Amino acid sequence: MKLECEVCVVGGGPAGTLLSCLLAAQGVSTILIERQSIAGKAFRGEILNDEGQEVIQKHKLLEQIHKDYVLASTRIEYWEHQQQVKTVKPASVDGNVGVHIPQPRFLEALLKQASTYESFRYLAGTTVTTLEGNSEQGYTGLAARDKNGHEITIDSSLIVGADGRYSTVRKLAQMPVTNIRHGYDLLWAKITAPAGWEPVTRLARVNGGQLALFSQAEGYIQIGWNVEEGSFPTLFKQSFEPFIQRLTEAFPDLKHSVHDHIRSWKDFVPLDIFSSRSDTWAQNGLVLIGDAAHTMTPTGAFGLNAALKDADVLASELLRLRQKSYTAGDLKAFEDGRRQAVTELQERQLTMESTFHEHFLQADNQRI
């Protein structure tokens, strides 16, 4: 199969799908490629902070999502020894400290909107294999393979790599990236929220380690548990019960839900933690956004929101350019406009991680 479009977006996560939707809405011929066959199957961030909320409100996307799939967190609580030692609340009465929207619901809404535009095409279950062209002469498209093994060739004026921290587009374009280690890895798990559980974010110290509980829409709690960097192989050989017992001792009200949903190490999703900075985001005919350009850690939920902002800013820039060839110079304006902001967020993450324990020395309330 041979296809043509003006912009080919690789990566059907929030950033890639939002960008595709915004471009298609303005008549830009856009093809979105996603490796997974089911939208939202891969785990990505789901909490919108002020920046992310501003983007979706700007484009009236919240109206496309049923209210049952949107949950605002009322406060951040710090806990230790079963005691709440500090509370952080939003500055305004009607504000929040984050909004959770399940990623599948968010992507479904974006794809439903995008599918109403004739200029949009979605290729799920499709893997990019090669890029056509080069950085000097310019990229002119790519080759891919669908889930049935059929070859697809796409001619395009611009390739957008929105395919995450292990970006295939970045790798094929041989764009250098610098990884930054943070000294920890993470175990994710999801449980049902017990009756009466308030929509809050709880951050806790458990045996000197960091544990986070994020209230989620549809009646769930997402657990994020920091463990020593590189410790997964050793940890998974140890007994499971003592580890999970520390969680139930810290939060006795979660005991039944934890035992119902977390019964072995297999019920945790291990996440290798690092951040990264690509030396450049743009080449002739190609540009990176989101984690492909600047991977972030889960701290502060900045990654998703910065990626959505990337998509919003790039869409505006591409609509301004509207040309058949996009040079690195053309695309550099987008990079220059976003690089400093995301670098500051990455540095802020490092500071937040290094000062986490200081919150437990301040038994007071704050507003953000």
Side-chain angles (χ1 to χ4, degrees):
M1 186 187 336
K2 187 168 185 177
L3 304 173
E4 295 182 359
C5 63
E6 183 173 342
V7 178
C8 181
V9 181
V10 181
T17 308
L18 174 61
L19 175 64
S20 300
C21 186
L22 296 180
L23 293 176
Q26 299 301 316
V28 178
S29 175
T30 306
I31 293 177
L32 173 61
I33 297 176
E34 167 54 34
R35 182 172 57 87
Q36 300 289 344
S37 298
I38 302 174
K41 185 176 181 180
F43 178 80
R44 300 180 179 94
E46 297 182 326
I47 298 176
L48 299 175
N49 61 22
D50 289 344
E51 185 173 55
Q53 291 176 54
E54 180 182 344
V55 170
I56 67 171
Q57 289 169 358
K58 171 183 175 182
H59 298 291
K60 296 180 171 48
L61 296 175
L62 201 57
E63 301 170 5
Q64 311 296 324
I65 304 172
H66 193 279
K67 63 180 181 179
D68 289 347
Y69 306 138
V70 180
L71 181 68
S73 185
T74 59
R75 62 187 181 275
I76 300 172
E77 300 174 351
Y78 290 84
W79 286 71
E80 189 170 31
H81 305 308
Q82 298 185 19
Q83 297 292 323
Q84 183 179 332
V85 299
K86 182 179 179 180
T87 304
V88 178
K89 297 181 179 180
S92 60
V93 176
D94 59 347
N96 61 72
V97 294
V99 171
H100 177 260
I101 301 175
Q103 184 192 145
R105 306 298 185 183
F106 186 54
L107 294 178
E108 286 169 8
L110 288 175
L111 288 170
K112 182 178 180 181
Q113 183 65 34
S115 65
T116 64
Y117 308 125
E118 293 184 0
S119 52
F120 175 76
R121 183 162 185 167
Y122 182 49
L123 301 179
T126 302
T127 302
V128 173
T129 54
T130 58
L131 303 181
E132 302 297 331
N134 55 60
S135 60
E136 293 186 2
Q137 301 299 320
Y139 290 98
T140 58
L142 54 80
R145 184 179 297 108
D146 69 15
K147 59 185 178 182
N148 297 315
H150 299 144
E151 297 292 334
I152 303 171
T153 301
I154 301 175
D155 292 336
S156 65
S157 300
L158 176 66
I159 299 169
V160 179
D163 50 342
R165 61 184 191 155
Y166 299 114
S167 172
T168 297
V169 171
R170 185 184 66 209
K171 180 179 179 180
L172 292 174
Q174 299 182 342
M175 301 173 77
V177 60
T178 301
N179 289 338
I180 304 166
R181 307 305 304 189
H182 289 245
Y184 72 96
D185 290 325
L186 195 63
L187 290 173
W188 286 115
K190 181 180 287 190
I191 63 175
T192 55
W197 183 270
E198 295 186 71
V200 300
T201 296
R202 288 185 178 182
L203 304 177
R205 284 203 301 190
V206 178
N207 284 16
Q210 182 175 342
L211 176 70
L213 305 175
F214 303 99
S215 297
Q216 295 191 318
E218 302 182 282
Y220 291 99
I221 297 173
Q222 184 81 44
I223 299 172
W225 199 326
N226 290 20
V227 297
E228 184 180 351
E229 181 180 0
S231 66
F232 292 148
T234 301
L235 187 63
F236 295 159
K237 292 178 182 178
Q238 298 175 2
S239 173
F240 170 75
E241 290 301 330
F243 185 84
I244 206 66
Q245 185 177 351
R246 294 199 289 270
L247 170 58
T248 57
E249 288 177 348
F251 295 102
D253 50 345
L254 298 180
K255 183 176 181 178
H256 293 297
S257 186
V258 167
H259 286 305
D260 286 344
H261 295 276
I262 309 178
R263 299 180 178 180
S264 73
W265 290 118
K266 294 180 180 179
D267 294 317
F268 280 107
V269 177
L271 182 64
D272 181 28
I273 297 298
F274 64 88
S275 57
S276 69
R277 300 173 184 175
S278 296
D279 292 357
T280 180
W281 304 359
Q283 293 185 354
N284 293 324
L286 185 148
V287 65
L288 305 176
I289 65 172
D291 276 5
H294 47 76
T295 300
M296 296 188 184
T297 73
T299 300
F302 296 139
L304 166 64
N305 297 276
L308 292 175
K309 186 66 175 181
D310 282 355
D312 183 37
V313 173
L314 181 60
S316 297
E317 186 65 17
L318 296 182
L319 291 171
R320 183 186 68 81
L321 292 171
R322 288 306 299 269
Q323 57 195 51
K324 293 185 178 180
S325 64
Y326 295 89
T327 67
D330 295 329
L331 300 167
K332 196 69 167 58
F334 158 72
E335 178 181 344
D336 291 342
R338 290 291 297 147
R339 181 177 283 276
Q340 181 177 350
V342 298
T343 298
E344 290 175 356
L345 287 176
Q346 288 180 320
E347 292 173 350
R348 185 178 172 189
Q349 285 189 318
L350 289 167
T351 299
M352 291 173 68
E353 291 166 359
S354 65
T355 60
F356 173 76
H357 296 284
E358 295 178 9
H359 290 279
F360 297 87
L361 304 176
Q362 307 170 32
D364 58 6
N365 295 332
Q366 293 184 0
R367 291 187 178 272
I368 58 173

